[in-house]
Amino acid sequence: MRHRIALLSVLFAALPQLVAAVSEDALRLRNLGLAELENEQPAKAEELFLQLVPLTPDDPLPLANLAITALRQQNFEAGIEWIEKSLAKSPDQPELLTIKAEILQWSGQPEAALPVFRRAADLAPDSVEIQYALARQASTLPSEEAAAAKSEALERLRTLRPENLVVLMQSGQLQLAAGDRAAATGTFLRVKEVIWQAPAAASQLLEQILTALEAGDFEASRVPSLRLENVVKITPMFKEGLRELSPGIQGVPLTRFVDEPPATSFGEPLAVKFSSSPLSDTGTTRGGLALGDFDGDGRTDWARLTSGVPG
């Protein structure tokens, strides 16, 4: 529900600027198609995006989202065909490359997916979701290229999300594997500071890791680091860290047309004058909820009272 509210906010905030450039039918089909994807109805979404294609022939959105509908129906061949057509219109759009890489990955071609993920990550160095998608994909492959790609992605993620527990844990393990004692020590010391929600076993494992690092014994630190990750996976902090890095859905659809500006504001501020209003004849020292026209615009406002004044 949270993602749906955010998505609809973006769509409707940008609607006035789009009316002249995109037909109402195109907007309606786009919104309905995204809603069907949100409702996990890819076949219905496919019908809507097929209708959208001729209305927006130069836009990659309907083609990319048709690739998403094919992916979610496990029609990988059709998915590749649709995403290639979309990329023909916007070859350097990182979101499109990510969709292609994800289709390749799900179709059993992880080696082919890696360079596509890597290209997308290079084009979007500030995208947390794309960087994590690259790191996650690279983790499944044993090659030197994959190891380098994972290292690059985690380095960017440490800059973008330095307090994220998932990033810290994976970075620490990578630094241990590389034999970087100083970096690994710094990372696990930071882990020690942020895992106050973890079970007691986590503290014991951290002490083993740090003691081994102090002695320069990387072998003795690697197994506890893996066990530590398993222990902290159940914590709210780790789960929240995962949600911060990945949307947790199969294929992220495009939500904006090429000419659609991002919704960056709610418009110019209006001058508002608030007047005081008594909320109770008897007075209260507790919180409450009040309804009334507090700013004089003729419409009902909601106000949450956090505390009252004694007496």
Side-chain angles (χ1 to χ4, degrees):
M1 179 62 71
R2 179 176 55 189
H3 295 301
R4 185 176 303 167
I5 292 172
L7 172 61
L8 292 176
S9 298
V10 171
L11 299 180
F12 289 116
L15 191 58
Q17 299 98 317
L18 271 176
V19 172
V22 182
S23 71
E24 290 186 8
D25 283 343
L27 293 171
R28 179 180 60 84
L29 289 168
R30 186 273 307 271
N31 293 346
L32 289 173
L34 291 173
E36 293 294 358
L37 285 176
E38 185 79 19
N39 291 330
E40 300 182 359
Q41 298 293 329
K44 293 181 179 179
E46 181 181 9
E47 296 175 4
L48 294 161
F49 288 124
L50 282 171
Q51 297 175 51
L52 181 57
V53 172
L55 298 181
T56 55
D58 298 323
D59 201 291
L61 183 147
L63 300 169
N65 289 353
L66 281 167
I68 297 293
T69 66
L71 169 62
R72 295 189 184 181
Q73 296 176 86
Q74 299 186 17
N75 189 348
F76 305 123
E77 184 176 349
I80 289 295
E81 291 178 4
W82 285 122
I83 198 60
E84 290 292 3
K85 291 179 180 178
S86 185
L87 279 165
K89 301 179 184 300
S90 185
D92 291 328
Q93 188 168 339
E95 294 81 6
L96 300 182
L97 290 165
T98 301
I99 293 172
K100 178 180 178 179
E102 192 163 357
I103 295 172
L104 290 170
Q105 176 185 347
W106 279 94
S107 65
Q109 303 178 68
E111 293 84 3
L114 181 63
V116 184
F117 269 129
R118 204 169 187 178
R119 174 64 175 155
D122 288 341
L123 290 168
D126 295 330
S127 171
V128 170
E129 292 181 1
I130 293 177
Q131 297 303 325
Y132 184 67
L134 171 60
R136 183 174 54 190
Q137 170 63 15
S139 298
T140 66
L141 298 171
S143 66
E144 292 184 4
E145 179 188 4
K150 181 178 180 180
S151 178
E152 292 168 5
L154 285 174
E155 183 176 355
R156 289 168 177 160
L157 285 170
R158 284 196 296 273
T159 300
L160 296 169
R161 294 294 185 270
E163 303 301 308
N164 186 289
L165 183 56
V166 179
V167 173
L168 286 170
M169 289 300 308
Q170 294 191 10
S171 296
Q173 291 171 7
L174 196 67
Q175 291 156 355
L176 288 177
D180 191 337
R181 177 182 174 185
T185 300
T187 297
F188 282 106
L189 284 172
R190 186 64 189 133
V191 170
K192 185 177 182 179
E193 294 173 354
V194 302
I195 61 167
W196 54 272
Q197 295 175 312
S203 297
Q204 298 172 3
L205 290 166
L206 265 171
E207 289 305 320
Q208 293 177 28
I209 295 168
L210 293 171
T211 300
L213 283 171
E214 186 177 3
D217 190 346
F218 289 100
E219 287 298 325
S221 63
R222 286 171 187 156
V223 172
S225 74
L226 296 174
R227 291 176 178 168
L228 176 62
E229 183 174 11
N230 289 330
V231 169
V232 299
K233 277 181 179 179
I234 65 172
T235 64
M237 181 175 289
F238 192 91
K239 293 176 181 178
E240 184 60 34
L242 281 176
R243 286 192 290 270
E244 186 181 25
L245 299 174
S246 174
I249 59 176
Q250 188 182 36
V252 179
L254 297 190
T255 59
R256 292 194 293 115
F257 291 111
V258 168
D259 296 327
E260 183 175 356
T264 56
S265 74
F266 291 97
E268 294 298 320
L270 299 175
V272 177
K273 182 179 180 180
F274 290 94
S275 57
S276 60
S277 301
L279 301 180
S280 172
D281 293 333
T282 59
T284 178
T285 59
R286 298 178 299 175
L289 183 66
L291 299 177
D293 180 14
F294 302 118
D295 56 4
D297 64 355
R299 293 180 293 184
T300 301
D301 304 306
W302 293 66
R304 185 168 69 90
L305 181 67
T306 58
S307 64
V309 178

